[in-house]
Amino acid sequence: MANHLSYSDANIFHALLEFAGLEHEADDLTVMVGPKVFHRLSRRVASLAFGTIKTPQSGGRASGAARMPLREVARIAIQTVDMARERIQRGHPLLVFPEGTRSRAGRMQNTLPAVNRYFDGLHGAVIVPVGIAGSERFLSVGSSRLSDAPVTIQVGAPIQAEHLARDHGKNRKACMDRVGARIAQLLPEEYRGAYAQATRA
């Protein structure tokens, strides 16, 4: 699970796996993507590098073409959770941006409690926090042109999903806030946003 700054984040992470010699994991990577990825040709082409599962955005995070009727959001969300859990059970790495959308300010937003449904109750599921910094300058919001910019990715210690359930029970918000805080710990202070205080605790 990673913070989200740019449409390029998944491609950068995919390239990181390959550079690290993890070609098998790169080939099996599935990325949870919002509907906006499919509304522009350049984004659709970029997403062909890996598998994707289309997920609806919540009403509070969606804008423009991503807005859907509530009934449609619920229907797709159920299918999305089922597909995500199936991929995890098959041992495929799943890249999730738990904030639900890119941060336009470059600072972390609160994670969405519903993301917990992807792994809740899955025996052996492991969450790996990933902190991305600089991709908002590599491909900025609203732009389709790449810029020469350094991007840093920090990968943190894994979290056993069963430990989250043990510590927080069915409190999905507490589970995901813990993941958000772990991601924020991997970021420069100016990127931590909603989890800045949690990293100081």
Side-chain angles (χ1 to χ4, degrees):
M1 292 201 187
N3 62 309
H4 198 13
L5 299 166
S6 166
Y7 281 120
S8 66
D9 289 339
N11 294 90
I12 292 169
F13 184 75
H14 182 261
L16 173 72
L17 292 177
E18 293 192 332
F19 292 157
L22 300 170
E23 290 88 357
H24 179 73
E25 287 77 6
D27 288 344
D28 284 348
L29 181 67
T30 298
V31 183
M32 307 302 297
V33 297
K36 289 182 184 176
V37 168
F38 299 96
H39 284 236
R40 185 175 291 180
L41 181 59
S42 60
R43 295 175 194 159
R44 287 203 304 272
V45 170
S47 72
L48 294 177
F50 37 75
T52 59
I53 297 177
K54 182 179 179 181
T55 181
Q57 285 183 307
S58 67
R61 300 282 167 95
S63 62
R67 291 190 186 277
M68 299 181 193
L70 188 58
R71 186 183 298 267
E72 182 72 0
V73 169
R75 184 184 67 79
I76 296 174
I78 291 169
Q79 294 175 344
T80 296
V81 169
D82 289 343
M83 286 188 285
R85 291 172 70 88
E86 180 194 6
R87 298 289 173 95
I88 294 170
Q89 288 174 315
R90 285 163 50 190
H92 290 204
L94 186 72
L95 177 59
V96 181
F97 300 110
E99 297 163 278
T101 188
R102 293 164 301 148
S103 170
R104 291 178 175 269
R107 297 182 294 275
M108 277 195 75
Q109 305 163 92
N110 286 303
T111 55
L112 298 175
V115 173
N116 176 260
R117 295 179 185 275
Y118 294 150
F119 57 82
D120 184 33
L122 285 185
H123 177 71
V126 176
I127 300 157
V128 181
V130 176
I132 303 174
S135 62
E136 78 284 5
R137 294 187 293 272
F138 177 70
L139 179 62
S140 60
V141 173
S143 175
S144 58
R145 298 185 57 148
L146 302 179
S147 300
D148 186 8
V151 179
T152 302
I153 297 182
Q154 296 279 351
V155 179
I159 307 166
Q160 298 291 330
E162 292 166 337
H163 292 178
L164 287 179
R166 179 197 65 198
D167 295 344
H168 303 291
K170 293 297 182 183
N171 188 335
R172 298 187 190 282
K173 183 178 186 314
C175 287
M176 292 311 303
D177 279 341
R178 184 163 158 192
V179 173
R182 291 284 293 275
I183 293 170
Q185 288 174 349
L186 303 169
L187 296 169
E189 190 166 356
E190 64 269 24
Y191 284 88
R192 294 175 182 173
Y195 294 100
Q197 292 298 324
T199 61
R200 299 188 189 111

